[in-house]
Amino acid sequence: MLRQPAWSCLLIVGLVIALGQRCTPLAAQETPGTDAATTAEAPPSDGQSRGDQSTTTDSAAAETPAGSDHSESSGEQIPPPVPPTNPTSPDPIVARIDMTLRLKDEIIDTIHKGDLLTVVAERANDYVIATLSGRKGAVAKDNAARLSESIPIYDELILQSPEEGRLYTLRASAHWAQGDPESALADFDKAIQLGYTESHAYASRGLFHSTMGQHDKAIEDFTLAIAKDPKDQVPRMNRASVYMVVGKYDLAVADYSAALETHSQNPVLFSQRAVAHKLLGKLELAVKDYDSAIDLVSNDISAWMGRGFIKFQMGQHQAAIDDFTKVIELAPQSAVAFNNRGYNYQMLGNFARATADYQRAVELAPRFVLALVNRAWLLATCTESQLRDPVIAIELAKVVNDISQYKDVNDLTLLAACFASADDFETAIGWQEKVIQLANADQLPVAQKILELYQDKKPIDPQLLIPPQAAGQEPTQPTERQPESE
């Protein structure tokens, strides 16, 4: 199966799913990535180039077998996804000239001008690289260029062979690394016009279209790639990603399901299909998919987090607590997991544990708004008087409003409620009047009722914050702000 190198831009389709208006306190948050369909296929290139420059020699530092993702198409090779270990060199380097890689006196590999070389480590005067065939060696820095600086190399190769479409795809990678997606897309268009119509050419151009927001064109290219190579599931997964972005969740489910027919041991596919099922309202199927992902990879944090969030949505609060506890075991610095577990404790009436989890979330992420808001509301309105602490609640509410610049109706409502909880009704009235100034037509009636309570020297009635419930839906607790995903 053709896969693009792991070093380049991945398709990360971020789905910001607003599951409710910010009209009531925040409840729980999905971990970053649970609403994102991500596929490790990159747009830039399809393989190696050929040049006619003189040959030089570098001594091989080591040699390894070809990578497991190494594949071929029409005699051209795709670099194996060997991720760099040096964070200063995340991109590949490009050979400036032809070279041979030697181990003692034996030639173990040949590097051609324009070849993409994966950087394993960077040293003072050279790079430790992995070649297309998976060999490791050392290349002097004078003989290689950063990908973003390699356009002149490909310009020379294209001048020598202007009808070779593959060279345009390689230059496209350099344009992409330089932050010029328009030129990159133009090079891919040119490659295809010249007859370079391999499946991965369309798949790669589809990624360009997708990242530029041209979703219809991306879907068209991925569909062409699938038609040319039905066995390659990467374009199908990327098409599913775009379907998720444009809200065609049923088509995304179909693509993920087709990919799973040949990749049934891929936990990411199960997790991505779970997200699509969730957005279609098929929560039971979403849970089953997360179950499968966890069965395959028991330490998959995103799967545990995603399943816990869905169980929260289903009102299965103890089961959600169990899943978020597992996340905390795997990632003890996860502020999101502590916030989410805290909210579910709150839903079960275990306010002490909820308070402790919110506090830990804020300690881990001092400007984590959901946790700040949840903790402030609980400290201001908790039915267990010994847990109420209006003074701390006010300080938390001030942090929240500093973040939103005192312009958010919900955050200002929280601030006013915290002052009312401290019996400072004069200040509460002032902030609630500010709420009324900013409130829209739908928010105004509730805002006015809250103001009247403060004018009567009464604290906020949390029932006023509960949105109308759909028939048969589990009632929302007073201190819930509808979930959002990051």
Side-chain angles (χ1 to χ4, degrees):
M1 180 173 64
L2 289 174
R3 289 185 179 275
Q4 297 292 342
W7 38 261
S8 57
C9 301
L10 304 182
L11 175 60
I12 304 177
V13 183
L15 302 178
V16 182
I17 308 299
L19 301 178
Q21 300 297 319
R22 284 186 66 191
C23 58
T24 52
L26 284 173
Q29 178 174 23
E30 290 184 86
T31 183
T34 57
D35 271 354
T38 304
T39 306
E41 179 183 11
S45 72
D46 61 272
Q48 61 185 16
S49 66
R50 293 289 178 262
D52 297 323
Q53 302 299 317
S54 59
T55 300
T56 63
T57 301
D58 285 314
S59 298
E63 61 176 303
T64 59
S68 59
D69 283 340
H70 180 238
S71 57
E72 299 182 0
S73 174
S74 301
E76 295 161 2
Q77 298 176 332
I78 303 301
V82 182
T85 57
N86 188 333
T88 63
S89 301
D91 288 339
I93 56 174
V94 178
R96 294 183 182 274
I97 55 178
D98 290 347
M99 293 172 273
T100 56
L101 197 64
R102 295 177 179 269
L103 184 61
K104 297 182 179 179
D105 294 330
E106 179 187 358
I107 296 177
I108 61 171
D109 211 338
T110 301
I111 299 172
H112 296 271
K113 179 178 179 179
D115 279 3
L116 297 174
L117 306 172
T118 301
V119 177
V120 177
E122 181 176 353
R123 302 187 295 208
N125 299 315
D126 61 18
Y127 298 104
V128 178
I129 57 92
T131 66
L132 299 176
S133 61
R135 304 283 188 172
K136 289 183 180 179
V139 172
K141 287 188 174 181
D142 290 344
N143 292 335
R146 301 276 187 184
L147 182 61
S148 60
E149 301 168 351
S150 64
I151 291 175
I153 298 172
Y154 294 122
D155 286 345
E156 292 177 8
L157 292 171
I158 288 172
L159 187 63
Q160 296 168 9
S161 305
E163 300 302 313
E164 190 172 349
R166 177 176 50 81
L167 295 176
Y168 292 88
T169 70
L170 289 161
R171 189 173 66 180
S173 70
H175 282 305
W176 187 269
Q178 207 173 60
D180 186 358
E182 289 81 9
S183 295
L185 186 57
D187 267 352
F188 248 106
D189 288 342
K190 180 66 174 179
I192 291 173
Q193 289 170 9
L194 289 171
Y196 193 76
T197 57
E198 299 294 329
S199 169
H200 57 83
Y202 289 105
S204 297
R205 190 175 69 173
L207 285 169
F208 281 118
H209 284 309
S210 177
T211 54
M212 295 174 69
Q214 299 170 357
H215 303 309
D216 289 342
K217 291 182 178 180
I219 291 171
E220 181 180 348
D221 271 348
F222 291 140
T223 301
L224 285 169
I226 293 166
K228 286 182 170 292
D229 186 1
K231 294 181 179 180
D232 185 357
Q233 296 299 342
V234 174
R236 195 182 302 278
M237 290 185 279
N238 283 331
R239 187 175 68 176
S241 299
V242 181
Y243 281 145
M244 294 286 282
V245 172
V246 299
K248 296 181 179 180
Y249 308 126
D250 53 341
L251 294 178
V253 167
D255 272 353
Y256 289 134
S257 298
L260 279 164
E261 290 180 4
T262 55
H263 293 71
S264 60
Q265 300 301 304
N266 187 330
V268 175
L269 288 175
F270 282 108
S271 290
Q272 291 177 349
R273 191 173 68 176
V275 174
H277 279 313
K278 182 196 70 174
L279 296 173
L280 288 169
K282 299 177 180 180
L283 301 187
E284 294 288 351
L285 290 177
V287 169
K288 287 182 63 177
D289 275 346
Y290 277 129
D291 289 345
S292 296
I294 290 169
D295 287 342
L296 289 168
V297 182
S298 62
N299 62 348
D300 186 342
I301 294 172
S302 65
W304 285 101
M305 184 77 84
R307 191 177 72 174
F309 191 84
I310 291 179
K311 288 180 177 178
F312 149 71
Q313 290 182 292
M314 297 171 72
Q316 299 174 9
H317 301 299
Q318 185 56 57
I321 287 170
D322 294 341
D323 279 355
F324 294 134
T325 298
K326 182 64 176 181
V327 174
I328 291 168
E329 291 176 5
L330 295 170
Q333 302 302 307
S334 173
V336 172
F338 277 104
N339 173 77
N340 288 1
R341 188 177 71 173
Y343 183 76
N344 282 277
Y345 275 132
Q346 183 176 337
M347 298 295 280
L348 293 178
N350 194 334
F351 302 124
R353 286 198 171 186
T355 300
D357 273 356
Y358 293 150
Q359 181 174 343
R360 182 57 180 153
V362 172
E363 289 171 354
L364 291 168
R367 293 175 69 83
F368 182 14
V369 172
L370 283 82
L372 289 165
V373 168
N374 282 341
R375 188 177 179 217
W377 276 113
L378 187 56
L379 293 177
T381 65
C382 185
T383 56
E384 296 180 9
S385 59
Q386 71 273 17
L387 292 177
R388 285 202 300 271
D389 193 331
V391 175
I392 294 180
I394 289 169
E395 294 306 311
L396 294 169
K398 287 180 179 178
V399 174
V400 171
N401 280 277
D402 284 342
I403 294 171
S404 60
Q405 300 181 334
Y406 291 83
K407 296 178 181 179
D408 185 272
V409 167
N410 309 291
D411 297 341
L412 290 168
T413 299
L414 167 63
L415 183 60
C418 291
F419 276 109
S421 177
D423 294 331
D424 185 351
F425 292 104
E426 182 177 351
T427 305
I429 288 170
W431 286 116
Q432 193 61 27
E433 287 175 342
K434 177 71 170 177
V435 170
I436 290 174
Q437 292 174 12
L438 297 176
N440 60 37
D442 293 332
Q443 297 166 326
L444 196 57
V446 171
Q448 187 63 48
K449 289 179 180 178
I450 294 173
L451 176 62
E452 292 170 1
L453 286 174
Y454 300 158
Q455 291 170 337
D456 292 339
K457 299 189 181 304
K458 295 179 181 178
I460 191 170
D461 177 5
Q463 294 295 321
L464 292 173
L465 300 177
I466 301 178
Q469 299 298 311
Q473 183 178 356
E474 181 181 356
T476 307
Q477 294 299 314
T479 53
E480 178 189 355
R481 178 184 287 178
Q482 292 295 318
E484 297 177 351
S485 60
E486 182 173 312

